[in-house]
Amino acid sequence: MNYRQLGNTDIRVSEVSFGTWAIGGSWGTNNDAESLKALRYAIDRGVNFFDTADVYGDGHSEELLAEATRGLRDRVYIATKFCRQGDIHDPETYSKERVREYCEASLKRLERDFIDLYQIHCPPIDIIKEGSVFTVLDDIQKEGKIKHYGVSVETVEEGLLCLEHSNVKSLQVIFNVFRQKPLEELFDQAKQRGVGIIVRLPLASGLLTNKFSLDHQFEEDDHRSFNENGESFNVGETFAGLGFKKGVQLAQQLEWIAEGRGNMARASLRWILDQPEVTCVIPGFKNQQQVEENLQAIETPSFSQDELRKMNDFYHEHVKEHIRGAY
């Protein structure tokens, strides 16, 4: 396993880490025994960082992490998120009293004394601009309940605004072969300010595995069946903002990136890891096999400069115009 510094903090995290949305809920059928087996396997392989949120399975993914990491407080870092259990547009959701309640509830589920990285969970841009939530987090930090804090954002503009606050230590962004805009400005600005970059949805909700046919049907409780067009939350969180069929077609045109790299998933993760500003990538998983597959990206060959230019051209000429939603 390779490890990278999380911005200018004292935390070094595994470059391939994992997100736990899928084992919490809204990604179809789950099996807790399989989830725990996968978590423990990842830890045994050197993964030392997991991302979760209080709304993933209404706290269930936090509870699973508590069970899997019991006794490993000093070996495994956990990042969780808050605000989406309330009305994200209501300033009261970000008050000191409410944030403390969210934080203490997560601590209880995680069975920890403090949270390594506490993140605002995709707040509206007005909340970021108003800025008082950052003062609240400073206070919660002084109380010892959190070690560092960051923000999970939907857009480049939101990310740039967050960078104006000196105690923001990380940005979590949607970034993948289909969604390259953060490369244009955000990544460089974050690096200059010593802010870590955590990449979520690296495989565009599975599109970049290139395993779907145009007529694929997702389970009813899988968000990919009910949020394709942003019906429940930001459309960018599903298929990188591309419609499903368009995404499948585009993935088929990118099959060449798998040559010499095993498959498209490994190649897509490798492309992200080759970006020097990226701290870690956090693909999801449901079982040990998926964890193992994602970890293969560590040994996957990097792309040549010619290949990188080709992928950049493909994004600008064929993908960018089809991305919907805030970006």
Side-chain angles (χ1 to χ4, degrees):
M1 179 60 69
N2 301 315
Y3 299 87
R4 303 184 184 187
Q5 207 76 24
L6 180 66
N8 60 12
T9 73
D10 58 352
I11 294 177
R12 288 180 62 81
V13 302
S14 44
E15 62 180 10
V16 176
S17 295
F18 287 93
T20 60
W21 184 11
I23 63 173
S26 298
W27 284 78
T29 303
N30 285 321
N31 180 304
D32 284 354
E34 286 295 317
S35 298
L36 288 168
K37 182 180 177 182
L39 284 167
R40 289 165 179 151
Y41 177 78
I43 294 167
D44 288 343
R45 288 290 306 275
V47 175
N48 74 341
F49 181 71
F50 295 92
D51 175 79
T52 186
D54 56 10
V55 290
Y56 294 169
D58 196 23
H60 187 55
S61 69
E62 291 181 326
E63 293 168 343
L64 288 170
L65 278 170
E67 185 169 348
T69 64
R70 201 165 287 142
L72 301 175
R73 161 71 266 180
D74 297 328
R75 279 182 53 193
V76 179
Y77 300 109
I78 292 178
T80 191
K81 300 186 285 293
F82 75 95
C83 83
R84 291 191 164 257
Q85 285 194 333
D87 178 353
I88 63 170
H89 298 282
D90 183 357
E92 182 61 24
T93 297
Y94 307 90
S95 66
K96 187 184 299 185
E97 181 180 9
R98 192 71 58 82
V99 174
R100 186 184 289 116
E101 289 175 0
Y102 293 143
C103 183
E104 290 177 349
S106 284
L107 284 169
K108 184 176 181 180
R109 288 188 292 267
L110 289 167
E111 300 177 12
R112 297 204 167 201
D113 298 322
F114 64 88
I115 294 166
D116 298 298
L117 181 66
Y118 203 37
Q119 303 160 103
I120 316 173
H121 198 172
C122 301
I125 194 167
D126 289 345
I127 295 296
I128 297 173
K129 287 180 176 179
E130 193 275 333
S132 61
V133 65
F134 299 104
T135 302
V136 167
L137 287 169
D138 286 337
D139 291 342
I140 301 295
Q141 186 179 44
K142 290 172 185 174
E143 294 174 8
K145 293 180 172 62
I146 61 178
K147 189 169 186 180
H148 303 292
Y149 65 80
V151 190
S152 180
V153 297
E154 299 283 6
T155 71
V156 166
E157 182 183 6
E158 291 167 358
L160 291 170
L161 286 168
C162 291
L163 293 179
E164 296 176 5
H165 298 272
S166 60
N167 283 337
V168 169
K169 299 301 182 183
S170 68
L171 292 178
Q172 186 178 136
V173 301
I174 305 172
F175 178 66
N176 54 58
V177 176
F178 285 158
R179 202 173 174 94
Q180 299 185 28
K181 186 177 179 181
L183 282 173
E184 297 170 7
E185 181 182 7
L186 182 60
F187 280 11
D188 181 62
Q189 291 293 319
K191 184 178 181 179
Q192 289 184 37
R193 289 166 171 77
V195 173
I197 295 291
I198 301 168
V199 173
R200 72 182 187 273
L201 296 171
L203 301 178
S205 306
L207 286 176
L208 288 166
T209 65
N210 200 28
K211 294 179 179 179
F212 296 136
S213 61
L214 290 171
D215 60 355
H216 184 89
Q217 296 294 314
F218 294 97
E219 295 178 70
E220 186 176 340
D221 60 346
D222 188 323
H223 76 285
R224 292 173 292 185
S225 72
F226 61 76
N227 195 61
E228 179 181 356
N229 299 305
E231 295 91 337
S232 298
F233 42 85
N234 188 289
V235 68
E237 299 286 346
T238 308
F239 306 128
L242 299 167
F244 174 67
K245 290 186 176 180
K246 172 55 69 174
V248 170
Q249 293 167 351
L250 290 169
Q252 291 171 350
Q253 294 177 54
L254 270 177
E255 287 179 334
W256 66 268
I257 69 174
E259 296 175 11
R261 298 183 178 89
N263 57 42
M264 275 189 66
R266 296 178 199 173
S268 297
L269 292 173
R270 183 70 258 167
W271 178 82
I272 294 170
L273 292 172
D274 282 346
Q275 313 303 325
E277 302 88 354
V278 168
T279 304
C280 66
V281 60
I282 52 169
F285 66 95
K286 285 189 177 183
N287 53 53
Q288 180 176 316
Q289 181 180 355
Q290 291 174 349
V291 168
E292 171 59 29
E293 177 58 41
N294 288 322
L295 290 175
Q296 292 295 319
I298 297 167
E299 304 298 331
T300 298
S302 294
F303 290 88
S304 68
Q305 289 301 311
D306 285 344
E307 288 175 318
L308 290 174
R309 280 192 290 270
K310 186 176 178 181
M311 294 169 75
N312 180 262
D313 290 344
F314 180 78
Y315 162 73
H316 284 285
E317 295 171 9
H318 301 285
V319 181
K320 187 177 179 180
E321 65 180 302
H322 299 291
I323 295 175
R324 302 165 299 165
Y327 183 28

